[in-house]
């Protein structure tokens, strides 16, 4: 690769928020010399180049060779070069494939003895065909235990039996690796994923319950993070981007509001780049045109029902727990309360529960009922009057012009999800933070005006509809703090019924 190509690839990774990269020297093109105008002869040179030009932005993985790199003059020389790559700034090692676990354990031991402390991840390849297996071990000069060679020799004319044997062998090797302390596995698919999927399913490693209600990123500097505001639940990449420069991440308690330290999202990619779709494709996803605001509610209902995979403010698919309140959420969207986020309540549910569960075994989890939606200005005062009847409800609202209303104290923090587990302090992974909400609202309104509208032609009715929502709606979040005796759903449905006439006449 030329310097221009390398810079382009790394810049694109950064633009799309990709942080984990595997830095390899690579092989020269068949019959030719590598095209490289920046003198990056070895993997360590590429690592140095990345560090010099991108600092610590990327988490850099490098290749390790339990059976020694083919170009190395000796095993000792190969280990020396590996230490050089780690010292240059590599963060993880992913090994070449092997078929004898003892080879990996011996390699891991030697690296540790050299002072290497980063994760060393074994590269696993389920055998998919006899021909592919023979070609791969010849190419990589991989040693194969005698019993494996003999057993495969008997099966080599039956492709199905070879695949089944390959999966069982890989499962056996992975289980031993895990039992002896290996925390991570890397699978080579060779563009054929079925055997890898079968291996993972047989291992059962995808059935482990969630550590937290939200998925933790794999970045090393966020290992201890355990608390987040609920607002970015459906847009986690944006949250990670906004908090990327934090020196430390909340662990155990959110505490004093971190909101003033939230970074800008000016470099966050547009929808077209984030979802890798053209404007026409996004129009097909979110509607080719809008004549009325109520049609936005229909789009959200389509998302709730799983027909639309993403929304402008939802990078993730709909949460499974939403199925518990989907009819209620649909009713809100049919009434110009365009939902952005929600969670149903739960009280002392086992941490192993397939829908609500998270955290260690034998624990219990809790949730306050939460709803967040865009609401037209004409309904704001009636909503406030309705909510003020209930002492256990807390709420906030703000519009694009930053006109605010609230019944909570400035800088307040309200835990809306928590768990109790054996031998642990109470864990509070999700909060409603007073100040962070206003930052989230600004991001949401900007995404409508500066991003969503850009996929349509200017000076059209569609633009008028979306700009009308931007200009005339408030974003509101509501928490029912009594998760035992009160029902926010009932409160909101009563509000809709009491104002059905005004709602029905809107836009007529």
């Amino acid at each position: 690769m030329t310097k221009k190509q390398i810079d382009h690839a790394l810049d694109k990774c950064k633009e799309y928020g990709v942080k984990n990269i595997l830095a390899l020297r690579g092989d020269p093109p068949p019959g030719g010399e590598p095209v490289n105008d920046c003198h990056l002869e070895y993997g360590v040179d590429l690592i140095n180049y990345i560090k010099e030009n991108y600092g610590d932005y990327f988490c850099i993985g490098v290749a390790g060779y339990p059976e020694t790199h083919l170009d190395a003059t000796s095993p000792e020389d190969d280990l020396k070069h590996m230490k050089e790559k780690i010292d240059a700034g590599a963060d993880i090692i992913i090994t070449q494939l092997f078929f004898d676990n003892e080879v990996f354990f011996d390699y891991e031991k030697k690296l540790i003895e050299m002072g290497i402390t980063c994760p060393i991840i074994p590269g696993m390849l389920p055998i998919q065909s006899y021909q592919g297996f023979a070609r791969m071990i010849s190419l990589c000069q991989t040693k194969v235990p005698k019993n494996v060679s003999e057993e495969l020799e008997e099966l080599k004319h039956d492709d199905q039996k070879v695949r089944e044997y390959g999966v069982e062998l890989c499962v056996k090797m992975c289980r031993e690796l895990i039992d002896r302390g290996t925390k991570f596995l890397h699978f080579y698919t060779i563009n054929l994923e079925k055997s890898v999927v079968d291996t993972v399913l047989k291992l059962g490693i995808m059935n482990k319950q969630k550590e937290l209600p939200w998925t933790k990123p794999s970045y090393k500097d966020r290992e201890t993070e355990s608390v987040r505001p609920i607002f970015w639940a459906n847009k986690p990449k944006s949250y990670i981007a906004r908090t990327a420069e934090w020196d430390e991440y909340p662990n155990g308690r959110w505490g004093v509001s971190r909101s003033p330290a939230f970074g800008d999202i000016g470099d966050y990619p547009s929808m077209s780049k984030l979802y890798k779709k053209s404007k026409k494709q996004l129009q097909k996803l979110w509607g080719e045109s809008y004549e009325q605001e109520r049609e936005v509610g229909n789009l959200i209902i389509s998302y709730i029902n799983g027909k639309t995979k993403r929304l402008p403010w939802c990078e993730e698919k709909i949460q499974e727990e939403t199925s518990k309140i989907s009819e209620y959420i649909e009713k809100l969207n049919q009434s110009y309360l365009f939902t952005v986020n929600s969670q149903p309540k739960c009280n002392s549910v086992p941490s192993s529960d397939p829908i609500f569960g998270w955290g260690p075994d034998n624990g219990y989890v809790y949730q306050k009922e939460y709803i967040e939606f865009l609401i037209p200005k004409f309904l704001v005062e009636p909503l406030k009057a309705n909510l003020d009847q209930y002492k256990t409800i807390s709420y906030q609202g703000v519009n694009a012009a930053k006109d605010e209303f609230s019944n909570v104290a400035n800088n307040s923090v309200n835990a809306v999800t928590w768990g109790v587990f054996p031998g642990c302090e109470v864990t509070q992974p999700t909060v409603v933070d007073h100040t962070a909400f206003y930052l989230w609202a600004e991001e949401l309104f900007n995404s409508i005006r500066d991003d969503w509208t850009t996929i349509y032609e200017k000076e059209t009715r569609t633009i008028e509809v979306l700009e009308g929502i931007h200009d005339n709606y408030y974003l509101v979040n509501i928490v029912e703090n009594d998760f035992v005796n009160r029902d926010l759903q009932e409160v909101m449905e009563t509000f809709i019924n009491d104002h059905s006439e005004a709602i029905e006449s809107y836009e007529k």
Side-chain angles (χ1 to χ4, degrees):
M1 293 177 72
T2 65
K3 178 180 182 297
K4 185 177 180 180
Q5 290 173 321
I6 292 171
D7 289 342
H8 177 74
L10 292 169
D11 288 342
K12 278 295 180 183
C13 285
K14 191 171 182 180
E15 180 182 343
Y16 287 118
V18 175
K19 288 200 169 186
N20 297 332
I21 61 171
L22 190 59
L24 304 176
R25 181 198 68 174
D27 299 317
E33 291 295 320
V35 179
N36 191 322
D37 60 357
C38 47
H39 310 293
L40 306 182
E41 187 174 356
Y42 299 107
V44 68
D45 300 321
L46 178 57
I47 296 165
N48 284 324
Y49 182 82
I50 294 170
K51 288 292 184 180
E52 288 170 8
N53 291 276
Y54 297 88
D56 293 329
Y57 178 81
F58 291 107
C59 173
I60 302 175
V62 293
Y65 300 88
E67 295 177 283
T68 305
H69 193 285
L70 296 177
D71 293 344
T73 57
S74 68
E76 292 74 23
D77 183 57
D78 190 39
L79 290 169
K80 183 188 77 171
H81 291 311
M82 175 56 69
K83 185 67 164 61
E84 289 172 353
K85 288 192 283 188
I86 299 302
D87 290 344
D91 299 289
I92 59 173
I93 299 169
I94 298 175
T95 78
Q96 180 61 279
L97 62 94
F98 55 88
F99 292 101
D100 183 347
N101 281 350
E102 292 305 323
V103 170
F104 170 78
F105 290 126
D106 182 58
Y107 180 66
E108 181 183 48
K109 181 181 177 182
K110 289 176 180 176
L111 292 177
I112 293 171
E113 288 174 348
M114 295 177 70
I116 292 175
T117 59
C118 73
I120 304 166
I121 303 175
M124 310 305 295
L125 175 68
I127 299 167
Q128 312 213 37
S129 71
Y130 186 81
Q131 292 78 11
F133 165 73
R135 185 170 57 252
M136 188 62 70
I137 62 173
S138 174
L139 179 68
C140 302
Q141 295 295 295
T142 306
K143 298 173 185 175
V144 181
K146 183 179 179 182
N147 67 302
V148 173
S149 295
E150 292 175 349
E151 289 163 0
L152 276 170
E153 184 68 25
E154 294 178 6
L155 303 172
K156 67 180 183 179
H157 298 299
D158 190 325
D159 289 345
Q160 181 60 32
K161 288 185 178 179
V162 169
R163 280 193 293 272
E164 291 173 355
Y165 177 86
V167 169
E168 291 302 324
L169 175 64
C170 193
V171 168
K172 181 180 178 181
M173 291 177 65
C174 288
R175 282 185 175 145
E176 182 184 15
L177 289 165
I178 292 169
D179 289 344
R180 290 176 63 172
T182 298
K183 293 183 178 180
F184 306 101
L185 301 168
H186 176 82
F187 290 97
Y188 294 102
T189 65
I190 319 297
N191 295 322
L192 296 168
E193 78 287 347
K194 188 177 187 308
S195 290
V196 172
V197 171
D198 289 345
T199 299
V200 170
L201 290 175
K202 284 179 177 290
L203 284 169
I205 54 180
M206 294 301 290
N207 299 326
K208 303 295 184 183
Q209 64 195 58
K210 298 180 291 185
E211 181 181 352
L212 293 165
W214 38 268
T215 302
K216 291 180 68 171
S218 57
Y219 311 143
K220 187 176 181 180
D221 57 349
R222 301 186 83 116
E223 287 178 346
T224 61
E225 181 182 15
S226 66
V227 190
R228 284 186 186 177
I230 195 172
F231 317 122
W232 285 272
N234 296 318
K235 207 176 177 187
K237 293 176 185 175
S238 168
Y239 179 80
I240 291 169
R242 296 197 73 146
T243 59
E245 302 303 319
W246 284 6
D247 294 328
E248 58 180 348
Y249 294 91
N251 180 14
R253 297 287 187 278
W254 183 254
V256 177
S257 173
R258 296 295 303 266
S259 302
F262 274 68
D264 190 6
I265 57 166
D267 295 331
Y268 191 66
S270 67
M271 291 177 185
S272 298
K273 292 179 179 178
L274 182 64
Y275 298 145
K276 299 181 181 178
K277 294 182 182 293
S278 67
K279 291 182 179 181
K280 285 291 184 184
Q281 289 173 318
L282 288 174
Q283 287 178 22
K284 190 172 182 180
L285 183 65
W286 294 325
E288 295 181 0
S289 64
Y290 291 101
E291 292 297 324
Q292 291 188 311
E293 292 169 10
R294 69 166 64 245
E295 295 169 27
V296 173
N298 294 335
L299 170 66
I300 299 170
I301 290 171
S302 176
Y303 171 73
I304 293 165
N305 292 329
K307 296 177 182 177
T308 298
K309 301 304 180 185
R310 295 187 180 98
L311 292 175
W313 50 80
C314 293
E315 300 166 348
E316 309 287 314
K317 66 179 182 179
I318 194 75
Q319 297 292 321
E320 193 173 359
E321 65 179 26
T322 305
S323 63
K324 300 290 186 180
I325 53 174
S326 59
E327 290 185 15
Y328 152 57
I329 298 297
E330 287 184 27
K331 189 170 183 179
L332 294 181
N333 283 285
Q334 291 165 351
S335 306
Y336 296 97
L337 276 62
F338 301 145
T339 56
V340 175
N341 197 356
S342 64
Q343 76 172 23
K345 66 180 179 180
C346 72
N347 181 15
S348 195
V349 173
S351 59
S352 58
D353 185 86
I355 294 178
F356 293 102
W358 55 272
D361 293 335
N362 303 312
Y364 292 90
V365 298
Y366 304 78
Q367 290 184 178
K368 294 177 183 178
E369 197 171 357
Y370 175 84
I371 189 72
E372 182 183 330
F373 51 81
L374 291 160
I375 182 172
K377 185 176 180 179
F378 80 94
L379 285 174
V380 168
E381 289 303 323
L383 176 66
K384 288 165 59 180
N386 183 68
L387 296 178
D388 285 340
Q389 300 177 64
Y390 305 95
K391 294 182 179 180
T392 57
I393 286 179
S394 54
Y395 62 82
Q396 289 176 261
V398 65
N399 64 5
K402 300 186 179 179
D403 297 323
E404 307 169 6
F405 63 88
S406 171
N407 72 342
V408 299
N410 290 344
N411 299 319
S412 67
V413 178
N414 186 354
V416 291
T417 308
W418 64 99
V420 179
F421 309 101
C424 303
E425 292 185 4
V426 174
T427 305
Q428 299 177 1
T430 313
V431 300
V432 170
D433 176 275
H434 171 271
T435 310
F437 174 67
Y438 296 125
L439 288 168
W440 161 243
E442 181 181 19
E443 180 177 331
L444 179 71
F445 284 118
N446 287 346
S447 73
I448 295 173
R449 183 194 62 197
D450 301 333
D451 209 352
W452 195 3
T453 60
T454 61
I455 71 174
Y456 300 102
E457 293 295 326
K458 295 180 179 179
E459 299 180 2
T460 60
R461 175 58 184 159
T462 300
I463 296 296
E464 290 179 4
V465 168
L466 294 180
E467 288 184 345
I469 291 173
H470 174 274
D471 296 342
N472 301 314
Y473 277 60
Y474 281 71
L475 181 66
V476 176
N477 79 67
I478 306 173
V479 180
E480 173 52 84
N481 293 288
D482 187 344
F483 59 93
V484 177
N485 299 308
R486 302 297 304 177
D487 190 343
L488 182 57
Q489 177 175 337
E490 183 180 325
V491 171
M492 293 306 300
E493 288 179 342
T494 298
F495 167 73
I496 290 171
N497 293 334
D498 288 347
H499 298 87
S500 58
E501 199 170 309
I503 290 169
E504 289 170 7
S505 63
Y506 184 57
E507 287 196 302
K508 286 188 178 179

